[in-house]
Amino acid sequence: MTLEDCLPPDLRGPTTTVTRIAAGLSGAGVYRVEAAGKAFVLKVAGESENPSDWRRGFHIQRLAADAGLAPRIVHVDEARRAVLTAFVADRSFLASYANPSTHEAALAQLGRTVRRLHELPLPADLHPLHPREFLAQTWSALQPGFTLPDFARDAIQRVLEEEPPADGRALVLSHNDINPTNLVYDGENILLLDWTTAGPNHPFYDLAVISVFLRMDEGTCRRLLAAHDGEPVNTLPARFAYFRRLVPVLCGSTLLNLARQMKHAGASGTETLASQPSLAEFYQRLQTGAVNLATADGQWAFGLALIKESFAR
């Protein structure tokens, strides 16, 4: 099989080009396709990805695309587990969010976009994501023969011991990984990418994830929740605050596990909470090229920066 075999017949030919963009965490390959004077994105599942998980994710992706929340699906090859979508030129949501003159409008649009996702019908055959259970599995994978800094171990164990506050909200269809790399802004709409981990979850989880990665303070979080709920939010709900503590530890430990799989040696014995760069400092290093996320060291540094972020929650 060639990558071109995953394309519809009318997009195959001598002038078609397929260029690798990235590799997903599941091992999926992501490619830019130039054909017939247009650009597309091709995502082919990795060999290790469970076929039933792929079908579940694709079903949710199609629901989102039909609702204008994901790029338009052009072609699907279910046998090869390949999905071709329209290429969306990114006008940078982050630039709009960071600009003081457009910040509030961008924040409100983000909250409304997440609400539109949560209003989609929840398929009956999907199993809920339990973030604390996923953290426990990741923690079990990290422990044998891989040394973590004391502050990282303490943070993981603290979150695992904390019970989620009671909450009466129903589960919704969640993306479960709304970090900035999965947002694309076409100039009018925010679209979500990578639906691999999508499924039922508490509505505050998606909101907590993006609030952590964008380093929102309490007031910004309240305005994000208000845009999502369509009414003022005077205090942060306990369940949202709980997810704000859990998310950086869960995402950070996942990155540490990826670093381990990439043969990182683990803690050297010199890493402390005080010496570890903050998430803001890590982002600065990423922008200057001082750190590379394609390396084990980059995954390790990102993971520790996220875990450090949990101590501020």
Side-chain angles (χ1 to χ4, degrees):
M1 182 196 78
T2 67
L3 290 172
E4 196 167 321
D5 291 331
C6 299
L7 305 178
D10 61 311
L11 294 182
R12 303 174 195 169
T15 62
T16 296
T17 62
V18 182
T19 308
R20 190 177 186 89
I21 300 174
L25 298 183
S26 63
V30 184
Y31 308 86
R32 180 182 173 117
V33 177
E34 300 276 355
K38 297 180 180 179
F40 307 89
V41 175
L42 174 66
K43 184 175 182 180
V44 184
E47 293 183 1
S48 62
E49 188 172 352
N50 184 286
S52 61
D53 289 343
W54 179 88
R55 286 191 293 270
R56 178 207 67 209
F58 173 68
H59 176 60
I60 296 174
Q61 181 182 354
R62 185 178 288 281
L63 285 175
D66 290 346
L69 291 164
R72 178 175 59 87
I73 296 174
V74 176
H75 177 73
V76 58
D77 185 331
E78 295 196 26
R80 297 182 174 96
R81 291 183 290 160
V83 180
L84 185 73
T85 58
F87 173 79
V88 179
D90 188 14
R91 308 298 181 188
S92 185
F93 169 79
L94 291 182
S96 179
Y97 179 81
N99 186 332
S101 67
T102 55
H103 170 79
E104 289 302 324
L107 179 67
Q109 184 177 21
L110 178 61
R112 292 193 301 268
T113 298
V114 177
R115 181 182 67 204
R116 287 175 55 210
L117 167 62
H118 292 169
E119 289 174 344
L120 291 179
L122 188 60
D125 58 343
L126 297 182
H127 298 292
L129 174 73
H130 299 290
R132 195 169 65 152
E133 292 181 9
F134 185 70
L135 175 60
Q137 294 171 6
T138 305
W139 177 226
S140 296
L142 276 170
Q143 291 186 78
F146 191 67
T147 305
L148 298 182
D150 288 342
F151 77 86
R153 298 176 64 90
D154 292 345
I156 294 170
Q157 291 172 341
R158 181 185 70 240
V159 171
L160 287 175
E161 291 170 0
E162 184 177 3
E163 289 290 336
D167 184 279
R169 295 205 181 205
L171 298 182
V172 296
L173 185 57
S174 294
H175 182 280
N176 291 326
D177 192 18
I178 302 182
N179 71 75
T181 65
N182 285 332
L183 296 178
V184 61
Y185 180 58
D186 65 5
E188 294 184 2
N189 301 300
I190 300 171
L191 304 177
L192 302 176
L193 309 178
D194 192 356
W195 295 84
T196 305
T197 59
N201 205 343
H202 192 286
F204 285 157
Y205 185 81
D206 277 341
L207 295 163
V209 170
I210 193 59
S211 76
V212 167
F213 278 93
L214 293 183
R215 303 180 54 253
M216 295 182 185
D217 59 21
E218 181 175 334
T220 307
C221 286
R222 285 191 280 106
R223 296 196 299 278
L224 175 69
L225 266 62
H228 177 273
D229 288 356
E231 58 185 21
V233 174
N234 297 320
T235 59
L236 292 182
R239 190 63 172 267
F240 176 79
Y242 163 77
F243 282 135
R244 291 254 294 168
R245 294 188 292 274
L246 180 147
V247 162
V249 175
L250 173 57
C251 295
S253 62
T254 300
L255 289 165
L256 295 181
N257 195 35
L258 287 172
R260 178 188 63 82
Q261 294 172 13
M262 297 171 71
K263 309 303 180 185
H264 193 279
S268 64
T270 62
E271 300 96 334
T272 66
L273 183 62
S275 67
Q276 171 60 42
S278 67
L279 186 58
E281 292 167 334
F282 174 82
Y283 285 157
Q284 291 174 350
R285 295 181 63 200
L286 191 63
Q287 290 176 347
T288 62
V291 62
N292 183 357
L293 282 179
T295 67
D297 286 343
Q299 299 284 350
W300 173 263
F302 196 8
L304 292 183
L306 279 166
I307 289 178
K308 179 170 182 173
E309 191 77 3
S310 73
F311 286 87
R313 306 298 172 196

